[in-house]
Amino acid sequence: MEKSAKIYVAGHRGMVGSAVVRALRAAGFGNIVVRTHGELDLLDSRAVREFYESERPDVAVIAAARVGGIGANSEANSLFLYENAIIAMNTVYQAAEAGVKRLLFLGSTCIYPRLAPQPIPEEALLSSPLEKTNEGYALAKISGLKLCEYLRRERGLCYHSLMPTNLYGTGDNYDIEHGHVLPTLIRKFETARTQNAPTVTLWGSGTPLREFLHVDDLAAACLFVLGLENPPNLVNCGSGRELSIRQLAETIRELCGCKSLIVWDRTRPDGTPRKLCDTSLIRSLGWAPKIDLVGGLRRTIDEYRAALARGSLRGVDPCQVQ
Ligand code: GDP
């Protein structure tokens, strides 16, 4: 990518989009185009088409989505399917119609089957049924990545996708009911510490295994694949290390300096039992993560405390479109 390239980042106010914008700026890309939700409604295909035609970006990075944790997804699969499918169709198809030559579509490893082989290779896509708690989101993201693949094949456009594992870091959503597990746990343990609470209640059994990647590592991966002349249609992106929810909880409790006991609420869902992605493809191309989990957690807890003190913590509006 030329440093002068005009790059549209959809979803620049979300955790992923804002990290991508930071990484692009840090790498010397100065011509970045963004629109707030108020300025451009990504559910409106005509508006999206007009935007692409008037701005004519060289590259588009699609990081806009309605996102949320297991609570938000499982209670609103219809909304997660509807909004994310329309956002994907509009941002990808209208880009092609307006002549945008290169596009990177972001999703999540929840596109893979519930009982996919572990670590999950890209080839596991559509090989067996999906996890039910986030099926709507997954179907929308599968449609988006398939659209990129079809447009690349049919029109020769360099449209490709990257599927990150569970992300955390700067700008995360700390909503207790609707956020993802890692930020929610930071909030729960920090709140318990400051209130001297005897217990902290977490969801499920604590046995599911999850992999976590700092969003700055993901942003570096986005720049990396955008720099490839012939990128894979679909590539996973993860840290390659997994731990149980119980281990995650104990690590966060210790880093927060919280003494409360953990209580598991087994009426809440566990979700998929294991979700470790196979990162051999992206590693073979030359990318590797740089931020280890404990270092990334320390930084994230510091940022949480600073944002709380400033009154700028995200999570009041649980699952806004980013
Ligand atoms: P997932 O990775 O797509 O399933 O979504 P999450 O990031 O929400 O992680 C969910 C996993 O963490 C499940 O196994 C939950 O049972 C477990 N978990 C434990 N406590 C919490 C909590 O307070 N909030 C959330 N979101 N998940 C929790």
Side-chain angles (χ1 to χ4, degrees):
M1 254 192 326
E2 301 281 321
K3 293 285 186 235
S4 59
K6 188 173 192 178
I7 306 169
Y8 168 51
V9 179
H12 72 289
R13 282 181 158 175
M15 177 171 71
V16 171
S18 58
V20 170
V21 169
R22 276 198 308 278
L24 285 168
R25 292 215 169 106
F29 293 94
N31 197 355
I32 301 170
V33 180
V34 295
R35 288 289 185 279
T36 63
H37 189 187
E39 290 163 347
L40 176 63
D41 179 4
L42 297 178
L43 297 174
D44 179 344
S45 60
R46 186 176 304 183
V48 174
R49 173 70 174 272
E50 283 168 8
F51 160 76
Y52 279 128
E53 281 184 343
S54 66
E55 282 294 342
R56 304 216 156 270
D58 301 303
V59 180
V61 180
I62 310 304
R66 175 176 288 275
V67 296
I70 196 166
N73 269 277
S74 56
E75 71 191 32
N77 264 295
S78 58
L79 189 64
F80 277 79
L81 170 58
Y82 171 73
E83 289 199 354
N84 288 316
I86 306 240
I87 290 171
M89 294 302 109
N90 286 346
T91 53
V92 175
Y93 196 78
Q94 298 306 339
E97 289 290 280
V100 175
K101 298 268 184 301
R102 182 142 193 172
L103 183 144
L104 174 63
F105 181 71
L106 295 168
S108 143
T109 52
C110 73
I111 59 160
Y112 293 114
R114 173 180 164 81
L115 299 178
Q118 305 283 331
I120 313 172
E122 286 83 359
E123 297 74 42
L125 184 71
L126 294 173
S127 58
S128 61
L130 296 166
E131 157 64 26
K132 290 287 177 211
T133 50
N134 52 23
E135 191 182 71
Y137 180 87
L139 287 168
K141 289 296 180 183
I142 292 170
S143 305
L145 79 87
K146 281 288 171 192
L147 184 58
C148 291
E149 193 183 307
Y150 301 153
L151 288 165
R152 189 171 185 176
R153 191 165 66 221
E154 292 166 11
R155 302 194 194 181
L157 298 166
C158 190
Y159 285 20
H160 53 115
S161 305
L162 184 144
M163 297 297 135
T165 192
N166 290 29
L167 298 169
Y168 72 99
T170 312
D172 212 340
N173 180 346
Y174 286 90
D175 184 87
I176 290 282
E177 274 298 310
H178 297 100
H180 286 103
V181 59
L182 192 152
T184 307
L185 264 48
I186 291 179
R187 185 161 175 189
K188 285 184 174 176
F189 285 119
E190 279 292 283
T191 309
R193 179 180 61 82
T194 52
Q195 296 177 355
N196 277 321
T199 58
V200 167
T201 302
L202 304 182
W203 297 356
S205 62
T207 58
L209 297 167
R210 292 289 184 277
E211 175 191 19
F212 296 93
L213 182 74
H214 193 281
V215 71
D216 286 351
D217 270 337
L218 167 72
C222 291
L223 266 66
F224 173 76
V225 293
L226 282 169
L228 298 174
E229 209 168 300
N230 188 20
N233 279 332
L234 169 64
V235 67
N236 291 338
C237 183
S239 61
R241 300 197 53 188
E242 65 183 342
L243 74 173
S244 70
I245 296 294
R246 182 184 299 272
Q247 287 170 311
L248 176 74
E250 283 164 1
T251 307
I252 295 177
R253 179 175 62 176
E254 194 186 320
L255 292 173
C256 289
C258 174
K259 306 275 179 259
S260 313
L261 289 176
I262 300 171
V263 175
W264 296 97
D265 175 359
R266 286 163 201 266
T267 66
R268 306 302 297 250
D270 265 343
T272 195
R274 196 175 172 201
K275 193 166 45 166
L276 174 67
C277 67
D278 182 341
T279 52
S280 42
L281 176 56
I282 194 164
R283 282 176 180 269
S284 73
L285 295 169
W287 174 87
K290 294 205 169 80
I291 304 171
D292 72 288
L293 183 62
V294 170
L297 281 173
R298 281 190 209 285
R299 188 173 132 196
T300 307
I301 292 166
D302 285 346
E303 289 173 353
Y304 170 89
R305 289 175 179 163
L308 188 67
R310 278 196 311 270
S312 62
L313 206 59
R314 242 180 100 212
V316 184
D317 174 10
C319 38
Q320 68 263 52
V321 172
Q322 296 182 340

